[in-house]
């Protein structure tokens, strides 16, 4: 069964560093998403991407964040200058109708 | 804005007990409603969904009915198994909010043999 994959599974970085989280969505899906879950809190929507552009974004998705689909298969989330409060589990999802989620990347900012 | 409220966990049950996890929502119009499940170390998996009032979603013995009059979408299962131990998330997709999902806080279920 097709699935969304994410790499790495765990990323540790120092405050102020740039990180790129990678996702491979399901191949025939048209919409791509990033969500995050800070430990002990709700899963929060960050951004959705359709037809090579952002279709929606939340207040969390500020200028420090960017997304890209650099080729036909990958979908990336870049955080330019990480802060301690960016530590969270980041989930990628893709959809044709329902959203299918990847296993997540745990980002730890020290 | 849209919001989802779930009962806080953890919920601890013995095998074969009945399960109800409460979920209520606030949204304009007619949202679609979902339950996702997260097993340890894994991502969120869609468990079931309902797209209009009085619809019943069901999967793997779990059921939930879209109740517009009470703005609820409670998850139920008649007889839980140890393998059902996971975190369950209620979510909605609003009519006017594109495709983004709004999640509840999640409810951890622990089933003991």
């Amino acid at each position: 069964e097709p699935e969304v994959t994410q790499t790495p599974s765990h990323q540790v970085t120092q405050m102020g560093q740039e990180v790129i989280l990678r996702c491979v969505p399901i191949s025939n899906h048209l919409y791509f998403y990033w969500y995050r879950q800070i430990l002990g809190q709700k899963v929060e929507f960050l951004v959705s991407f359709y037809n090579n552009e952002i279709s929606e974004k939340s207040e969390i998705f500020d200028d420090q964040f960017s997304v890209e689909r650099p080729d036909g298969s990958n979908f990336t989330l870049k955080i330019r200058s990480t802060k301690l409060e960016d530590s969270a589990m980041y989930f990628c999802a893709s959809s044709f109708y329902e959203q299918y989620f990847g296993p997540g990347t745990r980002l730890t900012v020290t | 804005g849209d919001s989802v409220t779930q009962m806080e966990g953890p919920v601890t049950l013995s095998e074969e007990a009945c399960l109800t996890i409460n979920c209520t929502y606030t949204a304009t119009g007619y949202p679609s409603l979902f339950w996702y499940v997260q097993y340890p170390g894994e991502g969120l998996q869609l468990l079931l969904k309902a797209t209009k009032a009085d619809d019943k979603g069901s999967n793997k013995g779990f059921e939930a009915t879209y109740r517009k009059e009470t703005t609820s979408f409670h998850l139920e299962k008649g007889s839980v198994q140890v393998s059902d131990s996971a975190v369950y998330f209620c979510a909605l997709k609003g009519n006017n909010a594109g495709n983004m999902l709004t999640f509840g806080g999640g409810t951890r279920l622990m089933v003991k043999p």
Side-chain angles (χ1 to χ4, degrees), chain A residues 31 33 35 42 56 98-99 102, chain B residues 4 36 43 49 97 99 101:
Chain A
Y31 286 86
Y33 312 83
Y35 292 81
K42 292 187 177 186
E56 287 178 274
E98 290 86 29
Q99 292 184 33
Chain B
V4 177
Y36 280 82
K49 68 174 183 177
N99 286 326
L101 292 173

Side-chain angles (χ1 to χ4, degrees), chain A residues 76-91:
Chain A
T76 62
L77 174 69
K78 181 192 290 186
I79 309 175
R80 286 189 185 78
S81 179
T82 50
K83 308 183 189 74
L84 294 176
E85 55 264 36
D86 294 327
S87 295
M89 181 72 88
Y90 288 81
F91 292 106

